[in-house]
Amino acid sequence: GHGERSMAMTITDDCIDCATCEYECPTGAVVQGDGKHEIEADRCDDCSGRRGGPLCLQQCPVGGIVSAA
């Protein structure tokens, strides 16, 4: 792949491409991918310091986002 660096959050194949995470992401790390959304690791900061953790994780209706850690 491109840039094999540690991903903060990862969107799994359970993604239904609803774009909820894209709208929720405060750093603009979520982008439209090929048939599903993807997270640009260099933009994602795990919503560090935000109560409750990553917003995309909380908002995903299908639980399709996981922490890669």
Coordinates of all heavy atoms in Angstrom, one line a residue:
G1 N 0.8 -1.2 0.0 CA 0.0 0.0 0.0 C 0.9 1.2 0.0 O 2.1 1.2 -0.1
H2 N 0.2 2.4 0.2 CA 0.9 3.6 0.2 C 1.2 4.1 1.7 O 0.2 4.2 2.4 CB 0.2 4.7 -0.6 CG -1.3 4.8 -0.3 ND1 -2.2 4.0 -1.0 CD2 -2.0 5.4 0.6 CE1 -3.4 4.2 -0.5 NE2 -3.3 5.1 0.5
G3 N 2.4 4.2 2.1 CA 2.7 4.7 3.4 C 2.4 3.7 4.5 O 1.3 3.8 5.1
E4 N 3.2 2.7 4.7 CA 2.9 1.6 5.7 C 3.2 2.1 7.1 O 4.0 1.6 7.8 CB 3.7 0.4 5.4 CG 3.4 -0.3 4.1 CD 1.9 -0.7 3.9 OE1 1.3 -1.1 4.9 OE2 1.4 -0.6 2.8
R5 N 2.5 3.2 7.5 CA 2.7 3.7 8.8 C 1.5 3.2 9.7 O 0.5 2.8 9.2 CB 2.7 5.2 8.8 CG 1.9 5.9 7.8 CD 2.0 7.4 7.8 NE 1.7 7.9 9.1 CZ 2.1 9.1 9.5 NH1 2.7 9.9 8.7 NH2 1.8 9.6 10.7
S6 N 1.7 3.4 11.0 CA 0.6 2.9 11.9 C -0.6 3.7 11.8 O -0.6 4.9 11.8 CB 1.1 3.0 13.4 OG 1.3 4.4 13.8
M7 N -1.7 3.0 11.5 CA -3.0 3.6 11.3 C -3.6 3.8 12.7 O -3.6 2.9 13.5 CB -3.9 2.8 10.5 CG -3.6 2.8 9.0 SD -4.2 4.2 8.2 CE -5.7 3.5 7.5
A8 N -4.2 4.9 12.9 CA -4.8 5.2 14.2 C -6.2 4.4 14.2 O -6.4 3.5 15.0 CB -5.1 6.7 14.4
M9 N -7.0 4.8 13.3 CA -8.3 4.1 13.2 C -8.4 3.5 11.8 O -7.8 3.9 10.8 CB -9.5 5.1 13.3 CG -9.4 6.0 14.6 SD -9.5 5.0 16.1 CE -11.1 4.2 15.9
T10 N -9.2 2.4 11.7 CA -9.3 1.7 10.4 C -10.8 1.4 10.2 O -11.5 1.0 11.1 CB -8.5 0.3 10.5 OG1 -7.2 0.6 10.7 CG2 -8.7 -0.4 9.1
I11 N -11.2 1.6 8.9 CA -12.5 1.3 8.5 C -12.6 -0.1 7.9 O -11.8 -0.3 6.9 CB -13.1 2.4 7.5 CG1 -13.1 3.8 8.2 CG2 -14.5 2.0 7.0 CD1 -13.6 4.9 7.4
T12 N -13.4 -0.9 8.4 CA -13.4 -2.3 8.0 C -14.3 -2.5 6.8 O -15.0 -1.6 6.3 CB -13.9 -3.3 9.1 OG1 -15.3 -3.0 9.3 CG2 -13.1 -3.0 10.4
D13 N -14.4 -3.7 6.3 CA -15.2 -4.1 5.1 C -16.7 -4.0 5.5 O -17.6 -4.2 4.6 CB -14.9 -5.4 4.6 CG -13.5 -5.4 3.8 OD1 -13.1 -4.3 3.4 OD2 -12.9 -6.4 3.7
D14 N -17.0 -3.8 6.8 CA -18.4 -3.7 7.2 C -19.0 -2.4 6.8 O -20.2 -2.1 6.9 CB -18.6 -3.9 8.7 CG -18.3 -5.3 9.2 OD1 -18.5 -6.2 8.4 OD2 -17.8 -5.5 10.3
C15 N -18.1 -1.5 6.4 CA -18.5 -0.1 6.0 C -19.6 -0.1 4.9 O -19.5 -0.8 3.9 CB -17.3 0.6 5.4 SG -17.7 2.3 4.7
I16 N -20.7 0.6 5.2 CA -21.8 0.7 4.2 C -21.8 2.0 3.4 O -22.7 2.4 2.7 CB -23.2 0.6 4.9 CG1 -23.3 1.6 6.0 CG2 -23.3 -0.8 5.5 CD1 -24.7 1.7 6.6
D17 N -20.7 2.8 3.6 CA -20.5 4.0 2.8 C -21.5 5.1 3.1 O -22.0 5.7 2.1 CB -20.5 3.6 1.3 CG -19.4 4.4 0.5 OD1 -18.5 4.9 1.2 OD2 -19.5 4.5 -0.7
C18 N -21.9 5.2 4.3 CA -23.0 6.2 4.6 C -22.5 7.6 4.9 O -23.2 8.5 4.9 CB -23.8 5.7 5.9 SG -22.8 5.8 7.4
A19 N -21.2 7.7 5.0 CA -20.5 9.0 5.2 C -20.7 9.7 6.5 O -20.3 10.8 6.7 CB -20.9 10.0 4.1
T20 N -21.3 9.0 7.5 CA -21.5 9.5 8.8 C -20.1 9.9 9.4 O -20.0 11.0 10.0 CB -22.2 8.5 9.8 OG1 -23.5 8.3 9.3 CG2 -22.3 9.1 11.2
C21 N -19.2 9.0 9.3 CA -17.9 9.3 9.9 C -17.2 10.5 9.2 O -16.5 11.3 9.9 CB -17.0 8.1 9.7 SG -16.8 7.4 8.0
E22 N -17.4 10.7 7.9 CA -16.8 11.8 7.2 C -17.3 13.1 7.8 O -16.5 14.0 7.9 CB -17.2 11.7 5.7 CG -16.5 12.7 4.8 CD -16.8 12.5 3.4 OE1 -17.4 11.5 3.0 OE2 -16.4 13.4 2.6
Y23 N -18.5 13.2 8.1 CA -19.1 14.4 8.6 C -18.7 14.6 10.1 O -18.6 15.8 10.5 CB -20.6 14.4 8.5 CG -21.1 14.4 7.1 CD1 -21.9 13.4 6.6 CD2 -20.7 15.4 6.2 CE1 -22.4 13.3 5.3 CE2 -21.1 15.3 4.8 CZ -21.9 14.3 4.4 OH -22.4 14.3 3.1
E24 N -18.5 13.5 10.8 CA -18.1 13.6 12.2 C -16.7 14.0 12.5 O -16.3 14.5 13.5 CB -18.4 12.3 12.9 CG -19.9 12.0 13.1 CD -20.6 13.0 14.0 OE1 -20.0 13.6 14.9 OE2 -21.8 13.3 13.7
C25 N -15.8 13.6 11.5 CA -14.4 13.8 11.7 C -13.9 15.2 11.8 O -14.0 16.0 10.9 CB -13.6 13.1 10.6 SG -11.8 13.1 10.9
P26 N -13.3 15.6 13.0 CA -12.9 17.0 13.2 C -11.6 17.4 12.5 O -11.3 18.5 12.3 CB -12.7 17.1 14.7 CG -12.4 15.7 15.1 CD -13.2 14.8 14.2
T27 N -10.9 16.4 12.0 CA -9.6 16.7 11.4 C -9.7 16.4 9.9 O -8.7 16.6 9.2 CB -8.5 15.8 12.0 OG1 -8.8 14.4 11.7 CG2 -8.3 16.1 13.5
G28 N -10.8 16.0 9.4 CA -11.0 15.8 8.0 C -10.2 14.6 7.5 O -9.8 14.6 6.3
A29 N -10.0 13.6 8.3 CA -9.1 12.5 8.0 C -9.9 11.4 7.2 O -9.3 10.6 6.6 CB -8.5 11.9 9.2
V30 N -11.2 11.5 7.2 CA -12.0 10.5 6.5 C -12.3 10.9 5.1 O -12.8 12.0 4.9 CB -13.4 10.2 7.3 CG1 -14.1 9.1 6.6 CG2 -13.1 9.8 8.7
V31 N -12.0 10.1 4.2 CA -12.2 10.4 2.8 C -12.9 9.3 2.1 O -12.9 8.1 2.5 CB -10.8 10.7 2.0 CG1 -10.1 11.9 2.6 CG2 -9.9 9.4 2.1
Q32 N -13.6 9.6 1.0 CA -14.3 8.6 0.2 C -13.3 7.7 -0.5 O -12.4 8.2 -1.2 CB -15.1 9.4 -0.9 CG -15.8 8.4 -1.9 CD -16.9 7.7 -1.2 OE1 -17.8 8.3 -0.6 NE2 -16.9 6.4 -1.3
G33 N -13.4 6.4 -0.3 CA -12.5 5.5 -0.9 C -13.2 4.7 -2.0 O -14.2 5.2 -2.6
D34 N -12.7 3.5 -2.4 CA -13.3 2.7 -3.4 C -14.4 1.8 -2.8 O -14.1 0.7 -2.4 CB -12.2 1.9 -4.1 CG -12.7 1.1 -5.3 OD1 -13.8 1.5 -5.8 OD2 -12.1 0.2 -5.7
G35 N -15.6 2.3 -2.8 CA -16.7 1.5 -2.3 C -16.9 1.6 -0.8 O -17.9 1.1 -0.3
K36 N -16.0 2.3 -0.2 CA -16.1 2.5 1.3 C -15.3 3.7 1.6 O -14.5 4.2 0.8 CB -15.7 1.3 2.1 CG -14.2 0.9 1.9 CD -13.9 -0.2 2.9 CE -12.3 -0.4 3.0 NZ -11.9 -0.9 4.3
H37 N -15.4 4.1 2.9 CA -14.6 5.3 3.3 C -13.3 4.8 3.8 O -13.1 3.7 4.3 CB -15.4 6.1 4.3 CG -16.4 7.1 3.7 ND1 -17.5 6.7 3.1 CD2 -16.3 8.4 3.6 CE1 -18.1 7.7 2.6 NE2 -17.4 8.8 2.9
E38 N -12.3 5.7 3.8 CA -11.0 5.4 4.3 C -10.5 6.5 5.3 O -11.0 7.6 5.2 CB -10.0 5.2 3.1 CG -10.4 4.1 2.2 CD -9.5 4.1 1.0 OE1 -8.7 5.0 0.8 OE2 -9.7 3.1 0.2
I39 N -9.6 6.2 6.1 CA -9.0 7.1 7.0 C -7.6 7.4 6.7 O -6.8 6.5 6.6 CB -9.1 6.6 8.5 CG1 -10.6 6.5 8.9 CG2 -8.4 7.6 9.4 CD1 -10.9 5.9 10.2
E40 N -7.3 8.7 6.5 CA -5.9 9.1 6.2 C -5.1 9.2 7.5 O -5.4 10.1 8.3 CB -5.9 10.4 5.4 CG -6.5 10.3 4.1 CD -6.4 11.6 3.2 OE1 -6.0 12.6 3.8 OE2 -6.6 11.5 2.0
A41 N -4.2 8.2 7.7 CA -3.6 8.1 9.0 C -2.8 9.4 9.4 O -2.7 9.7 10.6 CB -2.6 6.9 9.0
D42 N -2.2 10.1 8.5 CA -1.5 11.3 8.9 C -2.3 12.4 9.3 O -1.8 13.4 9.9 CB -0.5 11.7 7.7 CG -1.3 11.9 6.4 OD1 -2.5 11.5 6.3 OD2 -0.7 12.5 5.5
R43 N -3.6 12.3 9.1 CA -4.5 13.4 9.5 C -5.3 13.0 10.8 O -5.7 13.8 11.6 CB -5.6 13.7 8.5 CG -5.1 14.6 7.3 CD -6.3 14.8 6.4 NE -6.0 15.9 5.5 CZ -6.9 16.2 4.6 NH1 -8.1 15.7 4.5 NH2 -6.6 17.2 3.7
C44 N -5.4 11.7 11.0 CA -6.1 11.1 12.2 C -5.3 11.3 13.4 O -4.2 10.8 13.5 CB -6.5 9.7 11.9 SG -7.3 8.9 13.3
D45 N -5.9 11.8 14.5 CA -5.2 12.0 15.7 C -6.0 11.2 16.8 O -5.8 11.5 18.0 CB -5.1 13.4 16.1 CG -6.4 14.1 16.4 OD1 -7.5 13.5 16.3 OD2 -6.4 15.3 16.9
D46 N -6.8 10.2 16.4 CA -7.6 9.4 17.4 C -8.5 10.3 18.2 O -8.9 9.8 19.3 CB -6.7 8.7 18.3 CG -6.3 7.3 17.8 OD1 -7.1 6.7 17.0 OD2 -5.2 6.8 18.1
C47 N -8.8 11.5 17.7 CA -9.6 12.4 18.5 C -9.0 12.5 19.9 O -9.8 12.5 20.9 CB -11.1 12.0 18.6 SG -12.0 12.2 17.1
S48 N -7.7 12.6 20.0 CA -7.0 12.6 21.3 C -7.5 13.8 22.2 O -7.6 14.9 21.7 CB -5.5 12.7 21.1 OG -5.2 13.9 20.4
G49 N -7.8 13.5 23.4 CA -8.2 14.5 24.4 C -9.7 14.7 24.3 O -10.3 15.4 25.2
R50 N -10.4 14.1 23.4 CA -11.9 14.3 23.3 C -12.6 13.2 24.2 O -12.2 12.1 24.1 CB -12.4 14.2 21.9 CG -11.9 15.4 21.1 CD -12.5 15.4 19.7 NE -12.0 16.5 18.9 CZ -10.8 16.5 18.3 NH1 -10.0 15.5 18.4 NH2 -10.4 17.6 17.6
R51 N -13.5 13.7 24.9 CA -14.2 12.8 25.8 C -15.0 11.7 25.1 O -15.7 12.0 24.1 CB -15.2 13.6 26.7 CG -15.7 12.8 27.9 CD -16.5 13.7 28.8 NE -17.5 14.6 28.0 CZ -17.9 15.7 28.4 NH1 -17.5 16.2 29.5 NH2 -18.7 16.4 27.6
G52 N -14.8 10.4 25.4 CA -15.4 9.3 24.8 C -14.7 8.7 23.6 O -15.0 7.7 23.1
G53 N -13.5 9.4 23.3 CA -12.7 8.8 22.2 C -13.1 9.2 20.8 O -13.9 10.2 20.7
P54 N -12.6 8.5 19.9 CA -12.9 8.8 18.4 C -14.3 9.0 18.1 O -15.1 8.1 18.3 CB -12.3 7.6 17.7 CG -11.2 7.1 18.6 CD -11.8 7.3 20.0
L55 N -14.7 10.1 17.5 CA -16.0 10.4 17.1 C -16.6 9.4 16.0 O -17.7 9.0 16.1 CB -16.2 11.8 16.6 CG -15.9 12.9 17.7 CD1 -15.8 14.3 17.0 CD2 -17.0 12.9 18.8
C56 N -15.7 9.1 15.1 CA -16.2 8.2 14.0 C -16.6 6.8 14.6 O -17.6 6.2 14.2 CB -15.1 8.0 13.0 SG -13.5 7.3 13.5
L57 N -15.8 6.4 15.6 CA -16.1 5.1 16.2 C -17.5 5.1 16.9 O -18.2 4.2 16.8 CB -15.0 4.8 17.2 CG -14.8 3.4 17.7 CD1 -14.2 2.6 16.6 CD2 -13.8 3.4 18.9
Q58 N -17.7 6.3 17.6 CA -19.0 6.4 18.3 C -20.2 6.5 17.3 O -21.3 6.1 17.7 CB -19.0 7.6 19.2 CG -17.9 7.6 20.2 CD -17.9 8.9 21.0 OE1 -18.9 9.4 21.5 NE2 -16.7 9.6 21.0
Q59 N -20.0 7.1 16.2 CA -21.1 7.4 15.3 C -21.4 6.4 14.2 O -22.5 6.4 13.7 CB -20.8 8.8 14.6 CG -20.7 10.0 15.6 CD -22.0 10.2 16.4 OE1 -23.1 9.9 15.9 NE2 -21.9 10.6 17.6
C60 N -20.5 5.5 14.0 CA -20.7 4.5 12.9 C -21.9 3.6 13.2 O -21.9 2.9 14.3 CB -19.4 3.6 12.7 SG -19.6 2.4 11.4
P61 N -22.9 3.6 12.4 CA -24.1 2.8 12.6 C -23.9 1.3 12.5 O -24.7 0.5 13.0 CB -25.1 3.3 11.6 CG -24.2 3.7 10.4 CD -23.0 4.3 11.1
V62 N -22.8 0.8 11.9 CA -22.6 -0.6 11.7 C -21.4 -1.1 12.5 O -21.0 -2.3 12.3 CB -22.5 -1.0 10.2 CG1 -23.8 -0.7 9.5 CG2 -21.4 -0.2 9.5
G63 N -20.7 -0.3 13.3 CA -19.6 -0.7 14.0 C -18.4 -1.1 13.1 O -17.7 -2.0 13.4
G64 N -18.3 -0.3 11.9 CA -17.3 -0.7 11.0 C -16.0 0.0 11.1 O -15.2 0.0 10.2
I65 N -15.8 0.7 12.3 CA -14.5 1.4 12.5 C -13.9 0.8 13.7 O -14.5 0.7 14.8 CB -14.8 2.9 12.6 CG1 -15.4 3.4 11.4 CG2 -13.4 3.6 12.9 CD1 -15.8 4.9 11.5
V66 N -12.6 0.4 13.6 CA -11.9 -0.2 14.7 C -10.6 0.6 15.0 O -10.1 1.2 14.1 CB -11.6 -1.7 14.5 CG1 -12.9 -2.4 14.4 CG2 -10.8 -1.9 13.2
S67 N -10.1 0.5 16.2 CA -8.8 1.0 16.5 C -7.8 0.0 16.0 O -7.8 -1.2 16.3 CB -8.7 1.3 18.0 OG -7.4 1.7 18.3
A68 N -6.8 0.5 15.3 CA -5.8 -0.4 14.7 C -4.7 -0.7 15.7 O -3.9 -1.6 15.5 CB -5.2 0.2 13.5
A69 N -4.8 0.0 16.8 CA -3.8 -0.2 17.9 C -3.9 -1.6 18.5 O -5.0 -2.1 18.7 CB -3.9 0.8 19.0

